[in-house]
Amino acid sequence: MAMERRATAALSVFAAVAGMLLHAAVAADAQNLVFGYYNQTCRAAESIVFDEVQKAWNADRSMPASLLRLHFHDCFVNGCDGSVLLEASDGQAEKNASPNLSLRGFEVVDRIKARLEATCRQTVSCADILAYAARDSVRVMTGGYEYAVPGGRPDGTVSRASMTGDLPPPRQRNVDLLAQYFARKGLSMDDMVVLSGAHTLGVAKCGTFAYRLTSDGDKCMSAAFRNDLRRQCNYKSDAVVALDAGSPYGFDTSYYGNVLANCTVLESDAALNSPKTLQLVTQLRDSKALFINRFATAMVRMGNLRGGNPGKVRDNCRRVRT
Ligand code: HEM
Ligand SMILES: *[C@@H]1O[C@H](CO)[C@@H](O)[C@H](O)[C@H]1NC(C)=O
Ligand SMILES: *[C@@H]1O[C@H](CO)[C@@H](O)[C@H](O)[C@H]1NC(C)=O
Ligand SMILES: CC(=O)N[C@H]1CO[C@H](CO)[C@@H](O)[C@@H]1O
């Protein structure tokens, strides 16, 4: 017990120091984006994106979750620059790295891009498509809640698997260490709590969290919930379970109830059941309006992350245009 406490204390000192260094060295840069960026150059841009997201949702109720996650992975790795969509001839692009396991939605982006190219050639960046599509995913899932998303993100030219270390790891229960990944992007611990609410949608592969099912030592997972996950996974690492078991297709606040009840699939979600985040988690659980408003604000902030290698607007989101 005493040893455990010492270990924890040592860990948080490390976290604080590492955090200061990281923040000083690589705090991410925001960019000046503009609302209605395509008013003059591609009037239909945002409505085309919405139309395709709605079609994708009609065909597959799980697609909005995947589109939301694509924008997150795009922004956290070298800024929101569409780099998550690129392919590399050596098979070592961001999308090939292990944290992106199960990224989906690339075909939806291709369809959006094809329509935009037909309407206004080489004008709407793939990075902006991801930002609008994430917003529209919330819109379809909530039955109409919309927030304004500024545009003007350049498409990036670099996408390397080796850069995905900026993505927060799911096997982490220390909320301070997790928050460092957000701090490096200029985002706060509150932003992390709010954005993690995206896990009200979507699924995780059993292989991602199976280590939490093997022993009863994980006190942050309720026993009944663990048994349920064991049954669903049934030793298949490719099986998937809902991140928000109660309402996988509802963009609601039950994720935060899960956090408080120790019924989260990922250890990084369990981490939010900590004294530092408890107040906000409880407030968000208790108010859907608060959640949705804060989520929209935090998404816009995340969507402002500047890419490091701006290039030309692509005509195919999978390839740099030279
Ligand atoms: C502490 C931060 C986060 C961690 C550690 C994390 C980790 C993960 C992991 C491990 C999965 C499941 C992957 C798999 O097993 O297949 C997942 C799924 C997902 N994540 Fe996160 N995530 C974080 C934050 C976010 C944020 C900020 C967003 C968006 C705003 C987001 C959106 C999603 C969505 C929607 C899914 C489900 C995807 C689908 O069903 O296709 N996550 N996340
Ligand atoms: C585009 O139009 C909207 C609504 O008419 C307006 O709010 C926005 O400021 C305009 N943006 C630009 C860049 O023209
Ligand atoms: C959740 O887990 C924590 C330990 O991580 C424990 O202190 C708490 O009592 C648990 N809460 C519930 C509702 O089971
Ligand atoms: C969508 C995609 O390309 N996913 C890749 C993620 O990374 C693994 C390797 O770790 C690839 O096998 C997947 O194809």
Side-chain angles (χ1 to χ4, degrees), residues 265-302:
V265 174
L266 304 178
E267 197 174 1
S268 50
D269 289 327
L272 301 189
N273 192 349
S274 105
K276 286 191 183 163
T277 47
L278 218 49
Q279 190 187 354
L280 182 55
V281 167
T282 309
Q283 285 168 351
L284 293 167
R285 178 198 61 185
D286 293 342
S287 170
K288 183 163 176 178
L290 179 71
F291 168 51
I292 292 184
N293 278 312
R294 296 278 311 252
F295 189 79
T297 309
M299 285 292 281
V300 171
R301 228 184 335 265
M302 181 179 87

PDB file of all heavy atoms in Angstrom, residues 265-302:
ATOM      1  N   VAL A 265     -15.108   0.871 -21.401  1.00  0.00           N
ATOM      2  CA  VAL A 265     -14.348  -0.174 -22.065  1.00  0.00           C
ATOM      3  C   VAL A 265     -12.850   0.126 -21.990  1.00  0.00           C
ATOM      4  O   VAL A 265     -12.041  -0.756 -21.730  1.00  0.00           O
ATOM      5  CB  VAL A 265     -14.814  -0.269 -23.537  1.00  0.00           C
ATOM      6  CG1 VAL A 265     -13.949  -1.244 -24.314  1.00  0.00           C
ATOM      7  CG2 VAL A 265     -16.290  -0.650 -23.602  1.00  0.00           C
ATOM      8  N   LEU A 266     -12.500   1.386 -22.215  1.00  0.00           N
ATOM      9  CA  LEU A 266     -11.088   1.763 -22.262  1.00  0.00           C
ATOM     10  C   LEU A 266     -10.611   2.250 -20.897  1.00  0.00           C
ATOM     11  O   LEU A 266     -11.339   2.953 -20.187  1.00  0.00           O
ATOM     12  CB  LEU A 266     -10.869   2.879 -23.288  1.00  0.00           C
ATOM     13  CG  LEU A 266     -11.340   2.602 -24.719  1.00  0.00           C
ATOM     14  CD1 LEU A 266     -11.098   3.824 -25.597  1.00  0.00           C
ATOM     15  CD2 LEU A 266     -10.642   1.376 -25.298  1.00  0.00           C
ATOM     16  N   GLU A 267      -9.374   1.923 -20.595  1.00  0.00           N
ATOM     17  CA  GLU A 267      -8.791   2.359 -19.327  1.00  0.00           C
ATOM     18  C   GLU A 267      -8.646   3.886 -19.306  1.00  0.00           C
ATOM     19  O   GLU A 267      -8.813   4.522 -18.268  1.00  0.00           O
ATOM     20  CB  GLU A 267      -7.424   1.690 -19.147  1.00  0.00           C
ATOM     21  CG  GLU A 267      -6.931   1.729 -17.735  1.00  0.00           C
ATOM     22  CD  GLU A 267      -5.643   0.939 -17.546  1.00  0.00           C
ATOM     23  OE1 GLU A 267      -5.126   0.377 -18.536  1.00  0.00           O
ATOM     24  OE2 GLU A 267      -5.156   0.913 -16.415  1.00  0.00           O
ATOM     25  N   SER A 268      -8.368   4.475 -20.472  1.00  0.00           N
ATOM     26  CA  SER A 268      -8.234   5.937 -20.537  1.00  0.00           C
ATOM     27  C   SER A 268      -9.563   6.625 -20.221  1.00  0.00           C
ATOM     28  O   SER A 268      -9.577   7.759 -19.736  1.00  0.00           O
ATOM     29  CB  SER A 268      -7.738   6.350 -21.925  1.00  0.00           C
ATOM     30  OG  SER A 268      -8.519   5.733 -22.932  1.00  0.00           O
ATOM     31  N   ASP A 269     -10.664   5.959 -20.480  1.00  0.00           N
ATOM     32  CA  ASP A 269     -11.968   6.524 -20.091  1.00  0.00           C
ATOM     33  C   ASP A 269     -12.177   6.361 -18.585  1.00  0.00           C
ATOM     34  O   ASP A 269     -12.696   7.262 -17.927  1.00  0.00           O
ATOM     35  CB  ASP A 269     -13.102   5.843 -20.867  1.00  0.00           C
ATOM     36  CG  ASP A 269     -13.111   6.241 -22.341  1.00  0.00           C
ATOM     37  OD1 ASP A 269     -12.735   7.401 -22.643  1.00  0.00           O
ATOM     38  OD2 ASP A 269     -13.475   5.406 -23.179  1.00  0.00           O
ATOM     39  N   ALA A 270     -11.753   5.226 -18.050  1.00  0.00           N
ATOM     40  CA  ALA A 270     -11.840   5.018 -16.600  1.00  0.00           C
ATOM     41  C   ALA A 270     -11.031   6.083 -15.869  1.00  0.00           C
ATOM     42  O   ALA A 270     -11.368   6.484 -14.751  1.00  0.00           O
ATOM     43  CB  ALA A 270     -11.329   3.625 -16.242  1.00  0.00           C
ATOM     44  N   ALA A 271      -9.973   6.561 -16.507  1.00  0.00           N
ATOM     45  CA  ALA A 271      -9.106   7.570 -15.878  1.00  0.00           C
ATOM     46  C   ALA A 271      -9.868   8.846 -15.538  1.00  0.00           C
ATOM     47  O   ALA A 271      -9.468   9.596 -14.646  1.00  0.00           O
ATOM     48  CB  ALA A 271      -7.931   7.896 -16.806  1.00  0.00           C
ATOM     49  N   LEU A 272     -10.951   9.088 -16.250  1.00  0.00           N
ATOM     50  CA  LEU A 272     -11.707  10.330 -15.996  1.00  0.00           C
ATOM     51  C   LEU A 272     -12.510  10.249 -14.696  1.00  0.00           C
ATOM     52  O   LEU A 272     -13.053  11.247 -14.235  1.00  0.00           O
ATOM     53  CB  LEU A 272     -12.637  10.647 -17.171  1.00  0.00           C
ATOM     54  CG  LEU A 272     -11.958  10.833 -18.527  1.00  0.00           C
ATOM     55  CD1 LEU A 272     -12.957  11.345 -19.553  1.00  0.00           C
ATOM     56  CD2 LEU A 272     -10.771  11.773 -18.438  1.00  0.00           C
ATOM     57  N   ASN A 273     -12.571   9.072 -14.108  1.00  0.00           N
ATOM     58  CA  ASN A 273     -13.182   8.941 -12.780  1.00  0.00           C
ATOM     59  C   ASN A 273     -12.097   9.240 -11.748  1.00  0.00           C
ATOM     60  O   ASN A 273     -11.680   8.381 -10.988  1.00  0.00           O
ATOM     61  CB  ASN A 273     -13.731   7.521 -12.608  1.00  0.00           C
ATOM     62  CG  ASN A 273     -14.622   7.397 -11.382  1.00  0.00           C
ATOM     63  OD1 ASN A 273     -14.669   8.303 -10.553  1.00  0.00           O
ATOM     64  ND2 ASN A 273     -15.318   6.286 -11.273  1.00  0.00           N
ATOM     65  N   SER A 274     -11.652  10.487 -11.772  1.00  0.00           N
ATOM     66  CA  SER A 274     -10.585  10.900 -10.862  1.00  0.00           C
ATOM     67  C   SER A 274     -10.997  12.210 -10.215  1.00  0.00           C
ATOM     68  O   SER A 274     -11.800  12.960 -10.784  1.00  0.00           O
ATOM     69  CB  SER A 274      -9.284  11.084 -11.642  1.00  0.00           C
ATOM     70  OG  SER A 274      -9.003  12.448 -11.814  1.00  0.00           O
ATOM     71  N   PRO A 275     -10.454  12.496  -9.015  1.00  0.00           N
ATOM     72  CA  PRO A 275     -10.864  13.713  -8.306  1.00  0.00           C
ATOM     73  C   PRO A 275     -10.751  14.978  -9.168  1.00  0.00           C
ATOM     74  O   PRO A 275     -11.582  15.869  -9.071  1.00  0.00           O
ATOM     75  CB  PRO A 275      -9.892  13.762  -7.131  1.00  0.00           C
ATOM     76  CG  PRO A 275      -9.482  12.344  -6.912  1.00  0.00           C
ATOM     77  CD  PRO A 275      -9.497  11.686  -8.261  1.00  0.00           C
ATOM     78  N   LYS A 276      -9.742  15.030 -10.037  1.00  0.00           N
ATOM     79  CA  LYS A 276      -9.530  16.240 -10.827  1.00  0.00           C
ATOM     80  C   LYS A 276     -10.597  16.477 -11.889  1.00  0.00           C
ATOM     81  O   LYS A 276     -10.764  17.588 -12.373  1.00  0.00           O
ATOM     82  CB  LYS A 276      -8.174  16.183 -11.529  1.00  0.00           C
ATOM     83  CG  LYS A 276      -7.041  16.418 -10.580  1.00  0.00           C
ATOM     84  CD  LYS A 276      -5.744  16.617 -11.321  1.00  0.00           C
ATOM     85  CE  LYS A 276      -4.638  16.780 -10.299  1.00  0.00           C
ATOM     86  NZ  LYS A 276      -3.319  16.593 -10.870  1.00  0.00           N
ATOM     87  N   THR A 277     -11.251  15.415 -12.297  1.00  0.00           N
ATOM     88  CA  THR A 277     -12.187  15.550 -13.410  1.00  0.00           C
ATOM     89  C   THR A 277     -13.628  15.254 -13.015  1.00  0.00           C
ATOM     90  O   THR A 277     -14.544  15.436 -13.814  1.00  0.00           O
ATOM     91  CB  THR A 277     -11.779  14.588 -14.557  1.00  0.00           C
ATOM     92  OG1 THR A 277     -11.526  13.301 -13.985  1.00  0.00           O
ATOM     93  CG2 THR A 277     -10.525  15.058 -15.258  1.00  0.00           C
ATOM     94  N   LEU A 278     -13.788  14.817 -11.768  1.00  0.00           N
ATOM     95  CA  LEU A 278     -15.095  14.346 -11.312  1.00  0.00           C
ATOM     96  C   LEU A 278     -16.196  15.388 -11.436  1.00  0.00           C
ATOM     97  O   LEU A 278     -17.327  15.079 -11.840  1.00  0.00           O
ATOM     98  CB  LEU A 278     -14.979  13.911  -9.850  1.00  0.00           C
ATOM     99  CG  LEU A 278     -15.777  12.689  -9.452  1.00  0.00           C
ATOM    100  CD1 LEU A 278     -15.549  11.550 -10.424  1.00  0.00           C
ATOM    101  CD2 LEU A 278     -15.386  12.258  -8.035  1.00  0.00           C
ATOM    102  N   GLN A 279     -15.865  16.624 -11.087  1.00  0.00           N
ATOM    103  CA  GLN A 279     -16.902  17.644 -11.094  1.00  0.00           C
ATOM    104  C   GLN A 279     -17.458  17.855 -12.506  1.00  0.00           C
ATOM    105  O   GLN A 279     -18.665  17.850 -12.731  1.00  0.00           O
ATOM    106  CB  GLN A 279     -16.348  18.957 -10.531  1.00  0.00           C
ATOM    107  CG  GLN A 279     -17.448  19.973 -10.296  1.00  0.00           C
ATOM    108  CD  GLN A 279     -16.905  21.338  -9.893  1.00  0.00           C
ATOM    109  OE1 GLN A 279     -15.708  21.524  -9.682  1.00  0.00           O
ATOM    110  NE2 GLN A 279     -17.793  22.305  -9.788  1.00  0.00           N
ATOM    111  N   LEU A 280     -16.535  18.011 -13.472  1.00  0.00           N
ATOM    112  CA  LEU A 280     -16.987  18.242 -14.844  1.00  0.00           C
ATOM    113  C   LEU A 280     -17.702  17.008 -15.396  1.00  0.00           C
ATOM    114  O   LEU A 280     -18.727  17.121 -16.082  1.00  0.00           O
ATOM    115  CB  LEU A 280     -15.796  18.646 -15.728  1.00  0.00           C
ATOM    116  CG  LEU A 280     -16.117  18.963 -17.182  1.00  0.00           C
ATOM    117  CD1 LEU A 280     -17.190  20.047 -17.312  1.00  0.00           C
ATOM    118  CD2 LEU A 280     -14.848  19.391 -17.937  1.00  0.00           C
ATOM    119  N   VAL A 281     -17.168  15.829 -15.107  1.00  0.00           N
ATOM    120  CA  VAL A 281     -17.806  14.596 -15.583  1.00  0.00           C
ATOM    121  C   VAL A 281     -19.250  14.532 -15.076  1.00  0.00           C
ATOM    122  O   VAL A 281     -20.181  14.206 -15.825  1.00  0.00           O
ATOM    123  CB  VAL A 281     -17.009  13.351 -15.117  1.00  0.00           C
ATOM    124  CG1 VAL A 281     -17.822  12.069 -15.316  1.00  0.00           C
ATOM    125  CG2 VAL A 281     -15.692  13.254 -15.867  1.00  0.00           C
ATOM    126  N   THR A 282     -19.449  14.891 -13.809  1.00  0.00           N
ATOM    127  CA  THR A 282     -20.796  14.843 -13.228  1.00  0.00           C
ATOM    128  C   THR A 282     -21.708  15.876 -13.879  1.00  0.00           C
ATOM    129  O   THR A 282     -22.862  15.585 -14.220  1.00  0.00           O
ATOM    130  CB  THR A 282     -20.716  15.067 -11.702  1.00  0.00           C
ATOM    131  OG1 THR A 282     -19.748  14.158 -11.165  1.00  0.00           O
ATOM    132  CG2 THR A 282     -22.056  14.822 -11.040  1.00  0.00           C
ATOM    133  N   GLN A 283     -21.183  17.080 -14.078  1.00  0.00           N
ATOM    134  CA  GLN A 283     -21.984  18.134 -14.721  1.00  0.00           C
ATOM    135  C   GLN A 283     -22.402  17.716 -16.132  1.00  0.00           C
ATOM    136  O   GLN A 283     -23.543  17.947 -16.551  1.00  0.00           O
ATOM    137  CB  GLN A 283     -21.183  19.440 -14.816  1.00  0.00           C
ATOM    138  CG  GLN A 283     -21.053  20.171 -13.493  1.00  0.00           C
ATOM    139  CD  GLN A 283     -20.019  21.304 -13.558  1.00  0.00           C
ATOM    140  OE1 GLN A 283     -19.275  21.440 -14.535  1.00  0.00           O
ATOM    141  NE2 GLN A 283     -19.968  22.105 -12.512  1.00  0.00           N
ATOM    142  N   LEU A 284     -21.479  17.108 -16.862  1.00  0.00           N
ATOM    143  CA  LEU A 284     -21.778  16.713 -18.237  1.00  0.00           C
ATOM    144  C   LEU A 284     -22.790  15.569 -18.260  1.00  0.00           C
ATOM    145  O   LEU A 284     -23.688  15.542 -19.107  1.00  0.00           O
ATOM    146  CB  LEU A 284     -20.493  16.312 -18.963  1.00  0.00           C
ATOM    147  CG  LEU A 284     -19.508  17.467 -19.210  1.00  0.00           C
ATOM    148  CD1 LEU A 284     -18.140  16.943 -19.642  1.00  0.00           C
ATOM    149  CD2 LEU A 284     -20.045  18.443 -20.250  1.00  0.00           C
ATOM    150  N   ARG A 285     -22.658  14.655 -17.304  1.00  0.00           N
ATOM    151  CA  ARG A 285     -23.634  13.565 -17.223  1.00  0.00           C
ATOM    152  C   ARG A 285     -25.043  14.133 -17.016  1.00  0.00           C
ATOM    153  O   ARG A 285     -26.023  13.626 -17.551  1.00  0.00           O
ATOM    154  CB  ARG A 285     -23.292  12.637 -16.064  1.00  0.00           C
ATOM    155  CG  ARG A 285     -24.318  11.507 -15.907  1.00  0.00           C
ATOM    156  CD  ARG A 285     -24.248  10.854 -14.549  1.00  0.00           C
ATOM    157  NE  ARG A 285     -24.530  11.793 -13.474  1.00  0.00           N
ATOM    158  CZ  ARG A 285     -24.440  11.509 -12.180  1.00  0.00           C
ATOM    159  NH1 ARG A 285     -24.062  10.320 -11.795  1.00  0.00           N
ATOM    160  NH2 ARG A 285     -24.700  12.416 -11.267  1.00  0.00           N
ATOM    161  N   ASP A 286     -25.103  15.209 -16.251  1.00  0.00           N
ATOM    162  CA  ASP A 286     -26.412  15.717 -15.845  1.00  0.00           C
ATOM    163  C   ASP A 286     -27.035  16.707 -16.818  1.00  0.00           C
ATOM    164  O   ASP A 286     -28.171  17.121 -16.624  1.00  0.00           O
ATOM    165  CB  ASP A 286     -26.301  16.363 -14.457  1.00  0.00           C
ATOM    166  CG  ASP A 286     -25.993  15.327 -13.383  1.00  0.00           C
ATOM    167  OD1 ASP A 286     -26.215  14.122 -13.658  1.00  0.00           O
ATOM    168  OD2 ASP A 286     -25.514  15.696 -12.297  1.00  0.00           O
ATOM    169  N   SER A 287     -26.309  17.120 -17.835  1.00  0.00           N
ATOM    170  CA  SER A 287     -26.889  18.088 -18.756  1.00  0.00           C
ATOM    171  C   SER A 287     -26.460  17.839 -20.194  1.00  0.00           C
ATOM    172  O   SER A 287     -25.309  18.085 -20.573  1.00  0.00           O
ATOM    173  CB  SER A 287     -26.503  19.515 -18.348  1.00  0.00           C
ATOM    174  OG  SER A 287     -26.875  20.408 -19.382  1.00  0.00           O
ATOM    175  N   LYS A 288     -27.383  17.384 -20.995  1.00  0.00           N
ATOM    176  CA  LYS A 288     -27.080  17.143 -22.406  1.00  0.00           C
ATOM    177  C   LYS A 288     -26.774  18.462 -23.116  1.00  0.00           C
ATOM    178  O   LYS A 288     -25.889  18.527 -23.978  1.00  0.00           O
ATOM    179  CB  LYS A 288     -28.259  16.440 -23.080  1.00  0.00           C
ATOM    180  CG  LYS A 288     -27.966  16.112 -24.533  1.00  0.00           C
ATOM    181  CD  LYS A 288     -28.914  15.085 -25.102  1.00  0.00           C
ATOM    182  CE  LYS A 288     -28.596  14.888 -26.589  1.00  0.00           C
ATOM    183  NZ  LYS A 288     -29.426  13.870 -27.209  1.00  0.00           N
ATOM    184  N   ALA A 289     -27.488  19.523 -22.733  1.00  0.00           N
ATOM    185  CA  ALA A 289     -27.255  20.816 -23.377  1.00  0.00           C
ATOM    186  C   ALA A 289     -25.826  21.280 -23.098  1.00  0.00           C
ATOM    187  O   ALA A 289     -25.124  21.747 -24.000  1.00  0.00           O
ATOM    188  CB  ALA A 289     -28.254  21.852 -22.865  1.00  0.00           C
ATOM    189  N   LEU A 290     -25.396  21.129 -21.848  1.00  0.00           N
ATOM    190  CA  LEU A 290     -24.034  21.524 -21.500  1.00  0.00           C
ATOM    191  C   LEU A 290     -23.033  20.700 -22.308  1.00  0.00           C
ATOM    192  O   LEU A 290     -22.089  21.229 -22.893  1.00  0.00           O
ATOM    193  CB  LEU A 290     -23.783  21.323 -19.994  1.00  0.00           C
ATOM    194  CG  LEU A 290     -22.369  21.676 -19.531  1.00  0.00           C
ATOM    195  CD1 LEU A 290     -22.147  23.185 -19.564  1.00  0.00           C
ATOM    196  CD2 LEU A 290     -22.097  21.134 -18.119  1.00  0.00           C
ATOM    197  N   PHE A 291     -23.274  19.393 -22.363  1.00  0.00           N
ATOM    198  CA  PHE A 291     -22.356  18.516 -23.094  1.00  0.00           C
ATOM    199  C   PHE A 291     -22.238  18.947 -24.550  1.00  0.00           C
ATOM    200  O   PHE A 291     -21.137  19.144 -25.076  1.00  0.00           O
ATOM    201  CB  PHE A 291     -22.817  17.055 -22.990  1.00  0.00           C
ATOM    202  CG  PHE A 291     -22.098  16.129 -23.937  1.00  0.00           C
ATOM    203  CD1 PHE A 291     -20.708  16.110 -24.001  1.00  0.00           C
ATOM    204  CD2 PHE A 291     -22.806  15.279 -24.782  1.00  0.00           C
ATOM    205  CE1 PHE A 291     -20.031  15.268 -24.878  1.00  0.00           C
ATOM    206  CE2 PHE A 291     -22.141  14.432 -25.663  1.00  0.00           C
ATOM    207  CZ  PHE A 291     -20.763  14.430 -25.713  1.00  0.00           C
ATOM    208  N   ILE A 292     -23.356  19.120 -25.197  1.00  0.00           N
ATOM    209  CA  ILE A 292     -23.306  19.412 -26.633  1.00  0.00           C
ATOM    210  C   ILE A 292     -22.664  20.773 -26.901  1.00  0.00           C
ATOM    211  O   ILE A 292     -21.851  20.926 -27.815  1.00  0.00           O
ATOM    212  CB  ILE A 292     -24.710  19.265 -27.257  1.00  0.00           C
ATOM    213  CG1 ILE A 292     -25.083  17.775 -27.224  1.00  0.00           C
ATOM    214  CG2 ILE A 292     -24.751  19.792 -28.675  1.00  0.00           C
ATOM    215  CD1 ILE A 292     -26.378  17.427 -27.884  1.00  0.00           C
ATOM    216  N   ASN A 293     -22.981  21.746 -26.068  1.00  0.00           N
ATOM    217  CA  ASN A 293     -22.364  23.067 -26.249  1.00  0.00           C
ATOM    218  C   ASN A 293     -20.865  23.029 -26.022  1.00  0.00           C
ATOM    219  O   ASN A 293     -20.092  23.582 -26.815  1.00  0.00           O
ATOM    220  CB  ASN A 293     -22.983  24.079 -25.279  1.00  0.00           C
ATOM    221  CG  ASN A 293     -24.283  24.620 -25.822  1.00  0.00           C
ATOM    222  OD1 ASN A 293     -24.333  25.010 -26.988  1.00  0.00           O
ATOM    223  ND2 ASN A 293     -25.321  24.614 -25.023  1.00  0.00           N
ATOM    224  N   ARG A 294     -20.471  22.393 -24.942  1.00  0.00           N
ATOM    225  CA  ARG A 294     -19.034  22.326 -24.652  1.00  0.00           C
ATOM    226  C   ARG A 294     -18.319  21.490 -25.706  1.00  0.00           C
ATOM    227  O   ARG A 294     -17.187  21.778 -26.093  1.00  0.00           O
ATOM    228  CB  ARG A 294     -18.797  21.729 -23.252  1.00  0.00           C
ATOM    229  CG  ARG A 294     -19.350  22.553 -22.092  1.00  0.00           C
ATOM    230  CD  ARG A 294     -18.454  23.704 -21.662  1.00  0.00           C
ATOM    231  NE  ARG A 294     -17.081  23.362 -21.446  1.00  0.00           N
ATOM    232  CZ  ARG A 294     -16.485  23.291 -20.253  1.00  0.00           C
ATOM    233  NH1 ARG A 294     -17.167  23.527 -19.153  1.00  0.00           N
ATOM    234  NH2 ARG A 294     -15.200  23.013 -20.169  1.00  0.00           N
ATOM    235  N   PHE A 295     -18.967  20.444 -26.174  1.00  0.00           N
ATOM    236  CA  PHE A 295     -18.364  19.580 -27.192  1.00  0.00           C
ATOM    237  C   PHE A 295     -18.101  20.381 -28.463  1.00  0.00           C
ATOM    238  O   PHE A 295     -17.011  20.314 -29.045  1.00  0.00           O
ATOM    239  CB  PHE A 295     -19.268  18.378 -27.473  1.00  0.00           C
ATOM    240  CG  PHE A 295     -18.622  17.333 -28.344  1.00  0.00           C
ATOM    241  CD1 PHE A 295     -17.708  16.438 -27.806  1.00  0.00           C
ATOM    242  CD2 PHE A 295     -18.914  17.250 -29.695  1.00  0.00           C
ATOM    243  CE1 PHE A 295     -17.086  15.477 -28.611  1.00  0.00           C
ATOM    244  CE2 PHE A 295     -18.302  16.293 -30.508  1.00  0.00           C
ATOM    245  CZ  PHE A 295     -17.390  15.398 -29.958  1.00  0.00           C
ATOM    246  N   ALA A 296     -19.092  21.142 -28.882  1.00  0.00           N
ATOM    247  CA  ALA A 296     -18.937  21.934 -30.112  1.00  0.00           C
ATOM    248  C   ALA A 296     -17.765  22.905 -29.966  1.00  0.00           C
ATOM    249  O   ALA A 296     -16.926  23.026 -30.873  1.00  0.00           O
ATOM    250  CB  ALA A 296     -20.231  22.691 -30.405  1.00  0.00           C
ATOM    251  N   THR A 297     -17.693  23.588 -28.838  1.00  0.00           N
ATOM    252  CA  THR A 297     -16.609  24.560 -28.627  1.00  0.00           C
ATOM    253  C   THR A 297     -15.247  23.869 -28.648  1.00  0.00           C
ATOM    254  O   THR A 297     -14.303  24.350 -29.270  1.00  0.00           O
ATOM    255  CB  THR A 297     -16.802  25.260 -27.259  1.00  0.00           C
ATOM    256  OG1 THR A 297     -18.134  25.745 -27.196  1.00  0.00           O
ATOM    257  CG2 THR A 297     -15.829  26.399 -27.083  1.00  0.00           C
ATOM    258  N   ALA A 298     -15.168  22.733 -27.980  1.00  0.00           N
ATOM    259  CA  ALA A 298     -13.892  22.021 -27.919  1.00  0.00           C
ATOM    260  C   ALA A 298     -13.505  21.453 -29.285  1.00  0.00           C
ATOM    261  O   ALA A 298     -12.322  21.429 -29.651  1.00  0.00           O
ATOM    262  CB  ALA A 298     -13.957  20.910 -26.870  1.00  0.00           C
ATOM    263  N   MET A 299     -14.481  21.025 -30.056  1.00  0.00           N
ATOM    264  CA  MET A 299     -14.192  20.513 -31.405  1.00  0.00           C
ATOM    265  C   MET A 299     -13.632  21.622 -32.293  1.00  0.00           C
ATOM    266  O   MET A 299     -12.712  21.389 -33.086  1.00  0.00           O
ATOM    267  CB  MET A 299     -15.464  19.942 -32.048  1.00  0.00           C
ATOM    268  CG  MET A 299     -15.878  18.600 -31.511  1.00  0.00           C
ATOM    269  SD  MET A 299     -14.738  17.267 -31.944  1.00  0.00           S
ATOM    270  CE  MET A 299     -15.231  16.953 -33.631  1.00  0.00           C
ATOM    271  N   VAL A 300     -14.199  22.814 -32.167  1.00  0.00           N
ATOM    272  CA  VAL A 300     -13.690  23.925 -32.979  1.00  0.00           C
ATOM    273  C   VAL A 300     -12.250  24.240 -32.561  1.00  0.00           C
ATOM    274  O   VAL A 300     -11.383  24.474 -33.404  1.00  0.00           O
ATOM    275  CB  VAL A 300     -14.608  25.165 -32.860  1.00  0.00           C
ATOM    276  CG1 VAL A 300     -13.973  26.385 -33.509  1.00  0.00           C
ATOM    277  CG2 VAL A 300     -15.964  24.865 -33.511  1.00  0.00           C
ATOM    278  N   ARG A 301     -12.003  24.186 -31.258  1.00  0.00           N
ATOM    279  CA  ARG A 301     -10.633  24.432 -30.788  1.00  0.00           C
ATOM    280  C   ARG A 301      -9.674  23.369 -31.323  1.00  0.00           C
ATOM    281  O   ARG A 301      -8.593  23.678 -31.825  1.00  0.00           O
ATOM    282  CB  ARG A 301     -10.612  24.411 -29.250  1.00  0.00           C
ATOM    283  CG  ARG A 301      -9.879  25.594 -28.688  1.00  0.00           C
ATOM    284  CD  ARG A 301      -9.680  25.695 -27.204  1.00  0.00           C
ATOM    285  NE  ARG A 301     -10.564  25.051 -26.296  1.00  0.00           N
ATOM    286  CZ  ARG A 301     -11.614  25.624 -25.705  1.00  0.00           C
ATOM    287  NH1 ARG A 301     -11.916  26.873 -25.970  1.00  0.00           N
ATOM    288  NH2 ARG A 301     -12.346  24.954 -24.852  1.00  0.00           N
ATOM    289  N   MET A 302     -10.074  22.132 -31.216  1.00  0.00           N
ATOM    290  CA  MET A 302      -9.227  21.051 -31.733  1.00  0.00           C
ATOM    291  C   MET A 302      -9.037  21.208 -33.244  1.00  0.00           C
ATOM    292  O   MET A 302      -7.947  20.975 -33.778  1.00  0.00           O
ATOM    293  CB  MET A 302      -9.861  19.686 -31.422  1.00  0.00           C
ATOM    294  CG  MET A 302      -9.059  18.502 -31.886  1.00  0.00           C
ATOM    295  SD  MET A 302      -9.852  16.933 -31.457  1.00  0.00           S
ATOM    296  CE  MET A 302     -10.936  16.693 -32.862  1.00  0.00           C
TER     297      MET A 302
END
